[in-house]
Amino acid sequence: MTIIAIDGPAASGKGTLARKLAAHFDYAHLDTGALYRAVGLITLRSGGNPEDEADAVAAAQKVGEMDLTDPELRTESTGAAASKVAAIPEVRRILLDYQRGFAANPPGGKAGAVLDGRDIGTVICPGADHKIFITANVETRAKRRFLELFGENGSTADYEKILAELRERDDRDMNRSTAPLKPAENADLLDTSNSDIEAVFQKALKLING
């Protein structure tokens, strides 16, 4: 069983890379951020507060009922809520078993799994066969998210709002007491600031294939 861990901040390209690697090797793929987004969205839809432990834990207990393809999972408001619920230790504990179970027994009888998130290599799968930490400067990541959400129709104000939100999320993710965002000690680092996804994919393949 081969496990590939892809970590990195929001809009760094980790999800796109993980999907490409999973398709290339015919491995199962899990976007672990979608689980936290689901918890965040369930909390918001129920009128709860993502920073309130009781509200977030109640939502986490219902995450199995959530459609992880729901388009609302990809909104910035859901992303911000996800970052808040992810800072709550009990939420992380509830989702931990699901993620580890996916890695140990990939669905569909696949020979391996690719998981992307913020603490795969450090907490979820510290024994992963391959660990890659993807990063990019925050301005580049904000531009990517801006184009993803607005295309060429957005305004400068839209970009500035996304940039501010990403900076807030980075600060929250990197400084939380439980499973902060950081590279595993034995992770390979890939900076995507000046690279397109195909170049990053080729670099990742070289790292994995040795």
Side-chain angles (χ1 to χ4, degrees):
M1 185 64 60
T2 300
I3 299 174
I4 301 174
I6 310 290
D7 288 307
S12 58
K14 63 183 181 296
T16 303
L17 175 62
R19 287 189 295 273
K20 285 180 72 70
L21 289 172
H24 178 81
F25 291 110
D26 193 25
Y27 290 169
H29 169 242
L30 178 62
D31 171 4
T32 66
L35 300 178
Y36 289 97
R37 284 174 174 269
V39 175
L41 184 55
I42 293 169
T43 304
L44 294 175
R45 284 178 172 172
S46 67
N49 178 358
E51 293 181 287
D52 181 86
E53 181 174 3
D55 290 348
V57 167
Q61 292 168 338
K62 300 176 182 177
V63 75
E65 305 168 15
M66 186 71 193
D67 176 7
L68 296 182
T69 65
D70 188 321
E72 200 172 344
L73 289 174
R74 311 314 302 177
T75 65
E76 282 302 304
S77 60
T78 299
S83 184
K84 292 173 183 176
V85 301
I88 298 172
E90 183 62 12
V91 170
R92 304 193 74 84
R93 186 196 66 77
I94 291 170
L95 298 182
L96 179 63
D97 286 345
Y98 179 87
Q99 296 172 78
R100 286 182 172 168
F102 184 100
N105 299 285
K110 300 291 186 181
V114 183
L115 287 78
D116 71 83
R118 287 170 173 73
D119 64 349
I120 310 303
T122 54
V123 176
I124 306 301
C125 299
D129 301 275
H130 306 283
K131 301 178 185 179
I132 299 175
F133 191 91
I134 301 290
T135 190
N137 64 60
V138 69
E139 292 81 9
T140 296
R141 292 187 283 121
K143 183 176 180 180
R144 289 173 181 166
R145 184 57 54 83
F146 171 81
L147 292 173
E148 177 185 328
L149 294 174
F150 299 103
E152 300 297 332
N153 299 317
S155 66
T156 300
D158 293 324
Y159 169 79
E160 293 295 338
K161 182 173 184 290
I162 291 171
L163 180 62
E165 288 175 344
L166 283 181
R167 282 178 170 150
E168 289 176 8
R169 288 183 63 186
D170 285 352
D171 180 68
R172 189 162 52 239
D173 290 344
M174 289 187 288
N175 293 302
R176 65 188 179 215
S177 58
T178 301
L181 171 66
K182 63 179 181 179
E185 290 184 2
N186 56 343
D188 291 301
L189 305 181
L190 287 180
D191 190 323
T192 70
S193 299
N194 300 304
S195 301
D196 61 24
I197 185 57
E198 187 58 35
V200 174
F201 174 62
Q202 293 301 325
K203 289 178 182 177
L205 281 183
K206 288 182 180 178
L207 291 171
I208 292 168
N209 292 329

